[in-house]
Amino acid sequence: LENITAREIFILGGARMFIEALPWVRTVYATIVKDKNYNCDKKFPIEILDNEFSITNGEETDELYFVTYKRKK
């Protein structure tokens, strides 16, 4: 493992893959839908990010937030 260089890898889901990948993640790029009630059975547990990551960047549109989280040291 000493010869492996760091690479940027994107996890594109589903819900279980996101949760299982979090222990190895340093940065999370999240798109958060604002105040809409969608009929869905899976939602990302954002409180995990709030506990282990800090917001370092964000942009907002009328319907979405684009947020960058970095792992707390």
Side-chain angles (χ1 to χ4, degrees):
L1 294 177
E2 297 166 4
N3 295 329
I4 296 176
T5 58
R7 294 185 293 168
E8 194 168 37
I9 298 171
F10 291 86
I11 309 298
L12 301 176
R16 186 174 178 154
M17 286 182 69
F18 289 138
I19 298 301
E20 289 182 11
L22 273 179
W24 295 278
V25 170
R26 289 186 228 162
T27 305
V28 174
Y29 303 102
T31 302
I32 301 169
V33 179
K34 288 184 182 179
D35 303 323
K36 296 256 180 164
N37 191 4
Y38 292 96
N39 186 20
C40 60
D41 62 344
K42 300 284 183 192
K43 294 184 180 181
F44 187 86
I46 200 76
E47 57 276 354
I48 291 174
L49 292 182
D50 291 339
N51 291 334
E52 298 182 25
F53 294 80
S54 297
I55 295 175
T56 60
N57 190 20
E59 295 181 35
E60 181 178 0
T61 69
D62 289 339
E63 297 184 6
L64 302 170
Y65 295 108
F66 301 100
V67 183
T68 303
Y69 290 86
K70 296 278 186 181
R71 183 173 296 281
K72 295 176 183 175
K73 298 193 185 233

